[in-house]
Amino acid sequence: MKTVGISLKKLKNEIKKDFKMARDLKGLNDVFNKYLGKHDGELNRILRSLEKLPKEKRARIGKEANKLKEYIKQKIEIKTEKMRLLTVPVNKKEWFDITVPGKRPLFGHLHPLTKIKRKVEEIFESMGFSIIEGPEIENEWYNFDALNFPKEHPARDTIDTFWLKSNHLKLLLRTHTSPVQIRYMEKNNPPLRIIVPGRVFRREATDASHEINFYHLEGLMVDKAVSAANFKAVIQEFYRRFFGKPVKVRFIPTFFPFVEPGFQVDISCLNCQGKGCSACQQTGWMEMMGAGMVHPNVLKNSRLNPKFLQGFAFGMGIERLVMMKYKINDIRLFYSGDLRFLQQF
Ligand code: PHE
């Protein structure tokens, strides 16, 4: 019986060694099979052979052999757990190199139109103007009638305007932000000083300088004695701040139904400072926007009394400003979504 006793001790040392050698789950499984495998596990064989021993020895050795069995089972449990935590399944397809530099996320930034719109807003705000918005879907009254457009004015044509199919009200996509003048004057008492940035729509063929959808910035100032001279001062100061250098301004008489008198506003060419170059077609001037003194009918339509009140209004295209500032030659680029263009700003 001594032999069994000794062999149990030896066996435990052997088991310990085997556990040390087992590097992975498969190794642990091998250890289990070697000693506790159903048919040829060494420890199992010993346990099976116990019945041949005398009673007392059987009990003592049986107890020790069972202890050893427990020892193996526990050890396997603990080691399996440890290995599970440590071993990531080594599957070649899943393997990746954590030292390879990652893909850099693309950082977005504001669209050049938004940037310039904000800059323009900032300048006018600093001069006391409030920023007001209005609806993009308008009705005929606000877009045309209230602004003193005669009934037969060509701008109302479906050739120029996107009319919407609607039952009663004649709805359309606003062709300018001027209708917000009316909406604002209806609800607020002078003195008024506002700018209205916003999207406008015109039904026209697109080319390098025309889009069916673009951005306008309307301006309106109304009080008891607001004059064209006030307008000139405001607008000259605006351009000076916007372009970062003094510019000359000139007014040329023109017609808009909602102003009287109406003017086209030109500034001295930024390229040649008025000397004449190809950018200004040798004139030395660049056409910038439409403006004028608010027509008395427009004041009346907004329930203000033209006997006591007067003011100026102006409207400029934001695209045009951006194109001049950055020397962009095609308006369609703004809406192309082309990153090669956008990433330059
Ligand atoms: N609404 C005009 C346009 O569509 C611009 C403008 C605004 C002109 C205000 C005069 C006064 O171009």
Side-chain angles (χ1 to χ4, degrees):
M1 211 48 273
K2 218 177 166 194
T3 38
V4 176
I6 287 170
S7 66
L8 276 183
K9 252 192 192 165
K10 256 172 92 184
L11 204 60
K12 183 154 186 183
N13 284 338
E14 209 179 307
I15 293 168
K16 274 186 180 166
K17 238 193 257 164
D18 283 349
F19 270 130
K20 256 187 207 153
M21 303 288 287
R23 296 255 169 259
D24 51 21
L25 293 174
K26 191 187 164 294
L28 282 182
N29 200 38
D30 289 346
V31 176
F32 181 88
N33 284 335
K34 182 172 174 190
Y35 300 102
L36 296 175
K38 265 223 168 98
H39 304 294
D40 46 7
E42 275 176 52
L43 195 56
N44 270 348
R45 236 185 300 146
I46 292 173
L47 283 166
R48 251 182 275 131
S49 66
L50 285 179
E51 35 184 286
K52 292 173 200 151
L53 292 176
K55 237 188 187 172
E56 335 81 66
K57 280 185 184 167
R58 194 195 305 165
R60 190 169 51 79
I61 291 171
K63 211 172 149 191
E64 263 175 45
N66 272 322
K67 253 196 201 165
L68 206 49
K69 190 175 171 179
E70 257 338 280
Y71 168 79
I72 294 174
K73 279 185 171 170
Q74 263 186 23
K75 194 91 178 160
I76 285 188
E77 214 169 282
I78 294 166
K79 286 203 119 190
T80 306
E81 196 51 39
K82 265 194 196 163
M83 282 181 185
R84 281 230 170 92
L85 292 177
L86 290 175
T87 18
V88 179
V90 185
N91 176 343
K92 276 212 170 133
K93 273 187 197 154
E94 277 177 25
W95 185 86
F96 64 91
D97 182 354
I98 56 166
T99 63
V100 171
K103 277 189 188 161
R104 267 174 198 276
L106 277 180
F107 282 106
H109 62 75
L110 294 176
H111 191 280
L113 283 176
T114 311
K115 276 193 185 167
I116 293 301
K117 181 176 143 249
R118 291 195 182 171
K119 170 116 184 116
V120 172
E121 287 171 355
E122 200 184 291
I123 298 173
F124 278 109
E125 264 187 318
S126 76
M127 292 197 269
F129 286 76
S130 309
I131 301 165
I132 304 298
E133 287 184 345
E136 286 175 4
I137 293 179
E138 265 300 359
N139 60 41
E140 194 176 20
W141 168 255
Y142 285 110
N143 198 81
F144 294 122
D145 299 320
L147 287 164
N148 202 37
F149 277 80
K151 276 276 174 255
E152 69 288 353
H153 194 284
R156 297 188 190 227
D157 281 355
T158 45
I159 303 165
D160 293 327
T161 303
F162 288 110
W163 289 93
L164 302 178
K165 281 185 188 147
S166 53
N167 294 337
H168 329 288
L169 288 166
K170 286 184 86 182
L171 297 180
L172 52 91
L173 296 180
R174 67 177 175 191
T175 57
H176 49 181
T177 44
S178 305
V180 187
Q181 284 184 29
I182 312 287
R183 289 180 178 276
Y184 192 76
M185 286 193 280
E186 278 176 347
K187 296 207 182 93
N188 296 276
N189 288 321
L192 309 174
R193 231 187 306 183
I194 59 165
I195 53 163
V196 186
R199 194 175 176 189
V200 300
F201 309 83
R202 286 192 196 168
R203 187 169 175 171
E204 47 194 2
T206 38
D207 61 27
S209 48
H210 295 88
E211 256 293 352
I212 56 166
N213 133 115
F214 51 100
Y215 284 82
H216 248 193
L217 187 112
E218 187 85 7
L220 176 73
M221 184 165 171
V222 175
D223 202 355
K224 285 180 201 124
V226 173
S227 69
N230 295 141
F231 172 62
K232 191 170 184 185
V234 166
I235 215 62
Q236 197 155 358
E237 177 61 7
F238 163 72
Y239 285 128
R240 189 188 67 76
R241 288 205 218 166
F242 183 80
F243 291 115
K245 54 185 172 193
V247 285
K248 277 192 218 148
V249 170
R250 75 171 182 189
F251 297 167
I252 296 181
T254 190
F255 176 76
F256 297 99
F258 35 94
V259 286
E260 183 57 41
F263 7 92
Q264 169 190 315
V265 178
D266 293 356
I267 61 167
S268 47
C269 177
L270 298 162
N271 214 23
C272 62
Q273 272 77 38
K275 289 187 200 83
C277 66
S278 60
C280 57
Q281 283 152 358
Q282 312 306 328
T283 61
W285 295 94
M286 299 184 121
E287 183 184 335
M288 292 305 289
M289 64 164 143
M293 300 305 290
V294 181
H295 196 289
N297 288 349
V298 172
L299 293 171
K300 269 186 231 159
N301 289 336
S302 315
R303 290 182 233 118
L304 294 181
N305 190 340
K307 264 195 188 160
F308 308 111
L309 293 164
Q310 62 182 50
F312 63 75
F314 59 90
M316 61 175 103
I318 295 183
E319 280 81 354
R320 191 167 165 69
L321 274 184
V322 185
M323 288 167 84
M324 290 187 70
K325 184 146 181 140
Y326 296 127
K327 299 194 165 65
I328 297 166
N329 58 10
D330 194 327
I331 192 173
R332 292 168 293 192
L333 285 167
F334 291 118
Y335 305 98
S336 65
D338 189 336
L339 290 180
R340 289 169 305 178
F341 169 69
L342 295 172
Q343 279 166 348
Q344 296 178 53
F345 301 95

